[in-house]
Amino acid sequence: MIRLVLFGRQGAGKGTQAVMLSEHYKAPHISTGDMLREAVAEGTAVGQKVMAILDAGELVPDETMLEVIHDRLAHDDVEQHGFLLDGFPRTVGQAKSLLKIATVDLGVNLEVPERLVLERISSRRVCQQGHIYSVNDDAAREGVCPIDSTLVEQRDDDTPEAVTARLDAYKMKTAVAMAYFDSQGLLLSVDGVGEPEAVFRRLVEAIDARLDHDDRW
Ligand code: AMP
């Protein structure tokens, strides 16, 4: 059983790696972003509270996030298989609270330089069904998805201004949460540049080496 936290800038490939790591270690993938979007879609009390915040790309208050995560960590699957946390903690308050309510084996920082994620995100184009293209692909140039014929365009929150704002929030808040993990001897940084498969192998190797060394599991 493993209890991991995955940190990484928007556009670093964190979501993709989180899915692969969760399959590899057989630990539930817990994405707070996904949970909140589901709560909004279902119109729950939490969903109604956070809808406008999500739309604005701002951070949901720690208090609400702690309720959400506390409930989720109480499920049986977590007790049996641990967790792979994706998108939590994002502030130092969340980091401190998490370490109070749960044992965490390691926080992993998937490092991709800001310049590179900016390039990746600003050249990203998506169709209405979610197929992803680069600005230089025919689909993006023609503006029509070859798979489902829907419009291909830039996401509203992928404009340079919006992306810069979100990266700034990461620098101001989430970097402090990571520094806190580091101060507790719980942070491992791994180079996130490369093809997803290669980054995945690098991650597993680094995580296993660190946990074997720490003799935590
Ligand atoms: P994500 O899919 O991880 O990018 O999360 C989408 C949105 O959910 C974020 O822009 C925030 O508004 C909200 N969110 C997710 N996780 C957290 C968190 N740990 N703290 C505050 N807000 C969060």
Side-chain angles (χ1 to χ4, degrees), residues 5-82:
V5 168
L6 195 56
F7 294 103
R9 289 190 175 91
Q10 175 204 13
K14 183 166 59 75
T16 307
Q17 295 298 333
V19 170
M20 292 164 92
L21 288 170
S22 134
E23 277 168 17
H24 178 79
Y25 289 114
K26 315 227 176 322
H29 172 208
I30 301 180
S31 155
T32 44
D34 286 351
M35 289 172 73
L36 294 172
R37 279 184 288 272
E38 259 166 47
V40 170
E42 286 168 9
T44 65
V46 168
Q48 288 174 18
K49 225 189 304 185
V50 304
M51 187 156 70
I53 302 174
L54 255 69
D55 281 350
E58 287 165 9
L59 288 185
V60 171
D62 285 357
E63 201 188 314
T64 307
M65 288 314 303
L66 284 166
E67 270 171 43
V68 168
I69 209 72
H70 194 272
D71 288 354
R72 182 62 186 88
L73 294 182
H75 289 195
D76 284 351
D77 60 342
V78 169
E79 197 173 313
Q80 285 166 17
H81 305 288

Side-chain angles (χ1 to χ4, degrees), residues 85-105:
L85 272 182
D86 167 6
F88 186 94
R90 261 174 156 99
T91 67
V92 71
Q94 293 178 12
K96 287 184 175 171
S97 302
L98 174 66
L99 295 185
K100 275 189 202 135
I101 61 170
T103 303
V104 174
D105 298 309

Side-chain angles (χ1 to χ4, degrees), residues 126-151:
V126 288
C127 85
Q128 287 164 342
Q129 301 294 326
H131 297 115
I132 299 173
Y133 300 100
S134 163
V135 67
N136 296 318
D137 294 340
D138 287 347
R141 273 203 293 261
E142 287 158 17
V144 180
C145 177
I147 300 168
D148 55 38
S149 303
T150 63
L151 214 60

